């Protein structure tokens, strides 16, 4: 029984990396875990070195049929990019959602075509009419960060959710030495970090390990005492 408790504690912090660079996978027990996705960027002229961003997704709660995630979007673009905005991000969802909503820096929920990438089930935009090609004049500029949350609603209670075909939308791109001025573009996922728990979750796990360790030590002492008595 004690060994089983210790094994469960170890399993709680051992998460597999995402299966591909274009998806993040979740189960309903991963409350408080964050997965970080790095994006590159390209315009109609092709890949643009230096155009990049990062989006982190944190599973905040699972209540009934609804999953709520926190997000943090950082514009990591650098030379030769002099200016750019991340005006939105999005993905497909497995299983499909019945509805979705968002708050914060990217508080407009939409769906539809993203330039050069095709149609997506969901996107969250800084402003605009809810089309994945949009984003208006708002967004996250170079070196800036935008945060908020989004909620995905499903037809029934589920235990696993995959966010696939992740993308970001760029606008107002200036990279004169690369021949891009006032351009727009998109980015696809280039890497996905393993899920890790937030500090509060680590604290709970440490307490669990300490308890399991104390119980194991007590079990050994009892076994030694029984051996001597015999």
């Amino acid at each position: 029984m004690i060994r089983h408790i210790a094994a469960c504690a170890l399993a709680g912090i051992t998460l597999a990396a995402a299966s591909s660079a274009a998806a993040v996978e979740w189960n309903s027990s991963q409350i408080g875990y964050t997965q970080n996705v790095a994006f590159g960027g390209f315009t109609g002229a092709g890949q643009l070195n230096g155009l990049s961003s990062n989006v982190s997704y944190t599973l905040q709660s699972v209540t009934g049929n609804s999953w709520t995630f926190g997000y943090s979007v950082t514009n990591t673009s650098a030379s030769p990019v002099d200016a750019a905005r991340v005006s939105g991000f999005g993905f497909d969802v497995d299983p499909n959602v019945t509805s979705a909503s968002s708050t914060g820096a990217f508080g407009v929920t939409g769906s539809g075509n993203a330039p050069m990438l095709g149609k997506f089930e969901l996107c969250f935009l800084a402003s605009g009419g809810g089309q994945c090609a949009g984003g208006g004049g708002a967004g996250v500029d170079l070196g800036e960060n935008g945060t908020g949350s989004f909620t995905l609603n499903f037809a029934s209670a589920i235990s696993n959710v995959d966010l696939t075909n992740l993308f970001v939308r760029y606008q107002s791109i200036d990279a004169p030495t690369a021949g891009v001025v006032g351009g727009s573009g998109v980015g696809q996922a280039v890497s996905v970090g393993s899920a890790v728990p937030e500090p509060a979750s680590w604290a709970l796990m440490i307490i669990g390990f300490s308890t399991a360790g104390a119980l194991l030590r007590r079990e050994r002492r009892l076994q030694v005492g029984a051996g001597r008595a015999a």
Side-chain angles (χ1 to χ4, degrees):
M1 176 65 181
I2 304 302
R3 291 186 180 88
H4 176 70
I5 292 172
C8 289
L10 282 169
I13 62 169
T14 304
L15 295 178
S19 61
S20 73
V24 287
E25 303 169 354
W26 301 89
N27 66 64
S28 57
S29 69
Q30 293 176 315
I31 306 299
Y33 283 72
T34 297
Q35 297 201 53
N36 298 296
V37 183
F39 294 86
F42 58 95
T43 68
Q47 182 178 351
L48 178 57
N49 292 330
L51 186 62
S52 64
S53 58
N54 183 89
V55 182
S56 65
Y57 307 83
T58 301
L59 181 58
Q60 294 181 335
S61 66
V62 177
T63 306
N65 301 353
S66 299
W67 291 51
T68 298
F69 294 82
Y71 65 79
S72 178
V73 180
T74 304
N75 188 339
T76 57
S77 299
S79 180
V81 177
D82 295 333
R85 285 185 296 107
V86 180
S87 59
F89 67 95
F91 41 76
D92 293 324
V93 186
D94 182 20
N96 293 335
V97 299
T98 56
S99 62
S101 60
S102 61
T103 64
F106 296 85
V108 178
T109 303
S111 63
N113 288 319
M116 299 173 277
L117 294 179
K119 188 175 182 179
F120 289 84
E121 186 173 2
L122 281 176
C123 53
F124 303 107
L125 308 169
S127 65
Q131 297 296 318
C132 293
V140 177
D141 291 320
L142 264 69
E144 294 185 347
N145 172 264
T147 61
S149 65
F150 60 85
T151 298
L152 309 180
N153 302 307
F154 299 92
S156 60
I158 55 175
S159 58
N160 294 278
V161 170
D162 294 346
L163 309 183
T164 65
N165 302 320
L166 300 131
F167 80 97
V168 293
R169 173 74 164 137
Y170 299 106
Q171 293 184 327
S172 304
I173 304 167
D174 285 339
T177 60
V180 178
V181 176
S184 62
V186 290
Q188 293 177 293
V190 295
S191 67
V192 177
S194 299
V196 294
E198 293 182 331
S201 299
W202 276 114
L204 290 174
M205 290 177 185
I206 290 169
I207 292 170
F209 275 117
S210 298
T211 302
L215 290 172
L216 284 170
R217 288 190 295 273
R218 180 175 180 273
E219 181 185 42
R220 291 193 188 101
R221 286 197 299 270
L222 289 173
Q223 288 172 348
V224 171
R228 288 173 178 170

